[in-house]
Amino acid sequence: DQQVKQNSPSLSVQEGRISILNCDYTNSMFDYFLWYKKYPAEGPTFLISISSIKDKNEDGRFTVFLNKSAKHLSLHIVPSQPGDSAVYFCAASGRNAGNNRKLIWGLGTSLAVNP
Amino acid sequence: GAGVSQSPSNKVTEKGKDVELRCDPISGHTALYWYRQSLGQGLEFLIYFQGNSAPDKSGLPSDRFSAERTGGSVSTLTIQRTQQEDSAVYLCASSWGVAAETQYFGPGTRLLVL
């Protein structure tokens, strides 16, 4: 059962336009969300995160929005650049019964930014 | 500073052989994670270590898979009697602690079982 869902396996955007990557989750106990970017033949790298006490976090061209009532978050990249072409993973965590945390990952969305 | 390193970067083996994959986490990081990514799939959690606590092995797909972490630093993932479905990229990550969600990943080991 996929607790973190990225329903779009791929997305293609023109350079300079906005890229919007979506992520849905089912577990209401999740209270921290992260986006990672992965280039081919490399490990994922942390991009941006958001705590459930906020609904928006911005870092340069990257903004993450969180809608807790809809259990939905999105990553906006503005303006998109060809170097942003990568696979983007959404991940979520929350404290479990053992008071530990573990990241639960989506399957990723492959973003292609066309020049 | 040095990031997470993994070795070997690529491994080709024959079905039925055992393989060992190594991970050197970032110095000072107490939490260490193993994931694998099969072709066209997302990240599959395998196991994590946190300090001296018992590891969370809930993601290991079978008893052919095991991992250890010596001295709270280097970790080895062992796959016994490899099968073709074990072919994947095996990724290691570390973080300051299990409560610190930002994980730093190594480049991965690409395992191909023929």
Side-chain angles (χ1 to χ4, degrees), chain B residues 62-81:
Chain B
S62 78
D63 58 8
R64 296 187 295 105
F65 288 73
S66 62
E68 62 178 22
R69 189 178 184 194
T70 54
S73 181
V74 172
S75 177
T76 302
L77 176 70
T78 301
I79 309 173
Q80 297 177 307
R81 305 180 302 280

Side-chain angles (χ1 to χ4, degrees), chain A residues 31-32 34 36 38 40-46 49 87 89 93 95-96 99-103 105-108, chain B residues 33 35 37 40-43 45 48 50 56 58-59 89 91 98-108 110:
Chain A
D31 60 5
Y32 196 73
L34 306 90
Y36 280 76
K38 184 180 184 301
E42 295 183 11
T45 56
F46 171 74
S49 63
V87 177
F89 289 99
S93 79
R95 293 196 182 278
N96 61 25
N99 208 33
N100 291 319
R101 286 185 171 274
K102 189 165 64 181
L103 281 181
W105 296 79
L107 296 181
Chain B
Y33 312 78
Y35 296 89
Q37 186 178 23
Q41 301 297 313
L43 289 172
F45 165 78
Y48 85 68
Q50 167 56 30
D56 178 347
S58 60
V89 176
L91 291 158
V98 70
E101 288 81 4
T102 303
Q103 299 176 17
Y104 299 86
F105 283 81
R110 283 148 198 79

Side-chain angles (χ1 to χ4, degrees), chain A residues 44-60:
Chain A
T45 56
F46 171 74
L47 191 57
I48 192 169
S49 63
I50 188 167
S51 164
S52 61
I53 63 173
K54 303 175 84 172
D55 55 19
K56 176 183 174 182
N57 188 26
E58 189 172 353
D59 183 2

Side-chain angles (χ1 to χ4, degrees), chain B residues 13-94:
Chain B
T13 190
E14 293 179 349
K15 178 181 172 181
K17 295 285 181 68
D18 297 351
V19 295
E20 282 191 356
L21 312 179
R22 177 188 168 106
C23 172
D24 283 86
I26 293 173
S27 178
H29 280 190
T30 61
L32 185 147
Y33 312 78
W34 282 100
Y35 296 89
R36 74 175 174 182
Q37 186 178 23
S38 303
L39 191 63
Q41 301 297 313
L43 289 172
E44 177 187 4
F45 165 78
L46 297 177
I47 185 171
Y48 85 68
F49 299 87
Q50 167 56 30
N52 296 320
S53 301
D56 178 347
K57 305 179 182 179
S58 60
L60 294 178
S62 78
D63 58 8
R64 296 187 295 105
F65 288 73
S66 62
E68 62 178 22
R69 189 178 184 194
T70 54
S73 181
V74 172
S75 177
T76 302
L77 176 70
T78 301
I79 309 173
Q80 297 177 307
R81 305 180 302 280
T82 52
Q83 303 294 312
Q84 289 181 330
E85 61 263 29
D86 299 334
S87 297
V89 176
Y90 288 81
L91 291 158
C92 175
S94 69

